[in-house]
Amino acid sequence: MSNHRGMMSDGRQVRNVYCIGRNYRLHAAELGNAVPEQPMVFLKPSHAVITMETDTMLPLPLDRGAVHHEVELVLRIGRRVKPGMTAAEAVDAFGLGIDFTLRDVQDILKQKGHPWLAAKGVLNSAPVTRVLPFPGTETLERTIFAMHNNGRLVQEGRAEEMLFSLDTLIEYTARHYGLGEGDLLFTGTPAGVGPVQAGDRLELSWDGELLGSCVIAAQI
């Protein structure tokens, strides 16, 4: 396996990277944000994606203020999505990922009404674990995923807790922006986001199984 940018653990190329904001009620509340009435979609560059294997070194711009971790269930689209298709028909694999966010930068961008790219799209800001075959929507929604930071549980959630279901996210994103083979969908983060610093070791697990880990480093 490779941890080259823009590639998945199985060697597949990443195309578009769609991310869903504020898709867990408690996460919206912890940041003081309103709960959206429809999916809030933003993009990351495919260059932000890097495969997360065992203690992958992950340089981030820690000198630009607080950098927060946001663990997420990540869906990989296996075919061109047509109207009416469900997640079970569209998704061929899934993994866990982190939407790293330059929080201080994002706060300034929000105040100015500017796009979030500078806070969300920096290199290495979308690491993804090894991927697993799609296990069925019900299993995917009911299984716990979690993140530990230096051995301490910091985030935990289930997809069934999302404001917008997997099927809704697939339908909405495809209808408005298009979804095709190789696209990724970061489905939102549960409560518990927080800052990282150099040397932190983050572990991502699915149903108690470790899927990948990384060690934070300062970007030179």
Side-chain angles (χ1 to χ4, degrees):
M1 293 188 292
S2 168
N3 62 355
H4 293 160
R5 288 196 183 100
M7 302 285 287
M8 303 298 288
S9 61
D10 58 4
R12 296 272 294 277
Q13 190 74 38
V14 174
R15 294 180 65 206
N16 300 300
V17 183
Y18 297 101
C19 304
I20 308 299
R22 306 178 192 173
N23 200 23
Y24 288 77
R25 189 177 301 275
L26 292 180
H27 170 60
E30 73 180 344
L31 295 183
N33 294 320
V35 174
E37 296 181 358
Q38 60 186 12
M40 178 184 293
V41 185
F42 62 92
L43 287 164
K44 284 180 180 272
S46 60
H47 302 286
V49 176
I50 184 170
T51 56
M52 189 192 320
E53 299 176 332
T54 301
D55 291 350
T56 297
M57 292 301 298
L58 205 69
L60 293 169
L62 303 177
D63 60 341
R64 298 182 61 192
V67 178
H68 281 196
H69 59 73
E70 301 186 10
V71 67
E72 309 201 6
L73 176 68
V74 180
L75 308 179
R76 185 176 70 189
I77 306 303
R79 57 191 295 193
R80 184 170 70 88
V81 178
K82 299 178 182 179
M85 287 179 62
T86 64
E89 296 170 308
V91 178
D92 73 342
F94 79 98
L96 299 178
I98 307 174
D99 168 20
F100 280 110
T101 304
L102 278 59
R103 191 68 72 198
D104 291 341
V105 173
Q106 186 188 38
D107 288 344
I108 294 172
L109 294 173
K110 286 181 179 179
Q111 293 170 10
K112 295 182 176 181
H114 290 176
W116 292 0
L117 181 63
K120 291 283 195 176
V122 298
L123 292 176
N124 304 325
S125 63
V128 180
T129 67
R130 62 185 172 93
V131 293
L132 302 174
F134 184 76
T137 302
E138 184 174 338
T139 297
L140 205 59
E141 288 182 334
R142 292 186 176 182
T143 303
I144 293 175
F145 62 93
M147 172 190 283
H148 288 76
N149 185 353
N150 297 323
R152 180 174 65 89
L153 178 66
V154 290
Q155 286 190 268
E156 183 177 80
R158 295 182 179 89
E160 65 183 2
E161 300 166 347
M162 298 191 307
L163 293 171
F164 304 103
S165 69
L166 300 181
D167 286 346
T168 298
L169 296 180
I170 294 291
E171 188 279 330
Y172 183 91
T173 306
R175 173 160 50 91
H176 288 278
Y177 311 108
L179 276 174
E181 183 179 357
D183 289 345
L184 297 183
L185 184 61
F186 280 64
T187 58
T189 191
V193 304
V196 296
Q197 59 186 359
D200 282 352
R201 182 174 186 266
L202 307 181
E203 298 174 296
L204 276 62
S205 60
W206 169 260
D207 197 22
E209 177 186 358
L210 182 65
L211 294 189
S213 61
C214 63
V215 177
I216 306 300
Q219 197 172 71
I220 299 175

